[in-house]
């Protein structure tokens, strides 16, 4: 049977009576480590809040603004080209809704565009025999 010579090294883990080897320490953590974690948490919370806002607030509000713009465009077109009144006079006929609506006229195409700022725009065009018709909605 072979025998081995006992080690005389103080770092030998098999040597009895010595201290176990020290585990390597990760070293001091930088203060910036926690700042990055906090920043990441804030970004994730912001993304979640943004998704909830889009799902429950922006989309319904955008759809309602589009409907309001379409209604205002068709009423103003009828007032202007069927009723023969000035566009400024037609603005008084628009019922007050939840959104501010501005009107613009294109006399060459006989159309009126109603715009809800930052949300929607819709155009109604007068065609002889057909009256005022809304253009197709653009997404």
């Amino acid at each position: 049977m072979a025998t081995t010579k006992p080690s005389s090294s103080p770092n030998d883990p098999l040597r009895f009576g010595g201290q176990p080897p020290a585990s390597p320490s990760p070293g001091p953590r930088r203060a910036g480590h926690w700042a990055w974690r906090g920043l990441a948490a804030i970004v994730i919370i912001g993304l979640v809040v943004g998704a909830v806002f889009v799902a429950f607030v922006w989309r319904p509000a955008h759809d309602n603004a589009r409907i309001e713009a379409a209604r205002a465009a068709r009423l103003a077109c009828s007032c202007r080209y069927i009723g023969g009144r000035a566009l400024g006079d037609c603005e008084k006929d628009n019922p007050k809704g939840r959104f501010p609506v501005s009107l613009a006229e294109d006399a060459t195409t006989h159309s009126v565009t109603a715009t809800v700022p930052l949300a929607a725009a819709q155009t109604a065009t007068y065609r002889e025999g057909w009256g005022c018709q809304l253009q197709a909605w653009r997404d």
Side-chain angles (χ1 to χ4, degrees), residues 1-5:
M1 200 180 290
T3 60
T4 60
K5 179 179 173 187

Side-chain angles (χ1 to χ4, degrees), residues 74-106:
R74 216 250 337 123
L75 286 175
C77 177
S78 296
C79 173
R80 174 70 183 106
Y81 294 107
I82 296 174
R85 296 167 43 202
L87 189 62
D89 192 36
C90 294
E91 287 183 5
K92 295 185 298 184
D93 293 345
N94 272 335
K96 297 298 176 207
R98 292 185 293 172
F99 301 99
V101 177
S102 63
L103 300 174
E105 175 184 13
D106 184 0

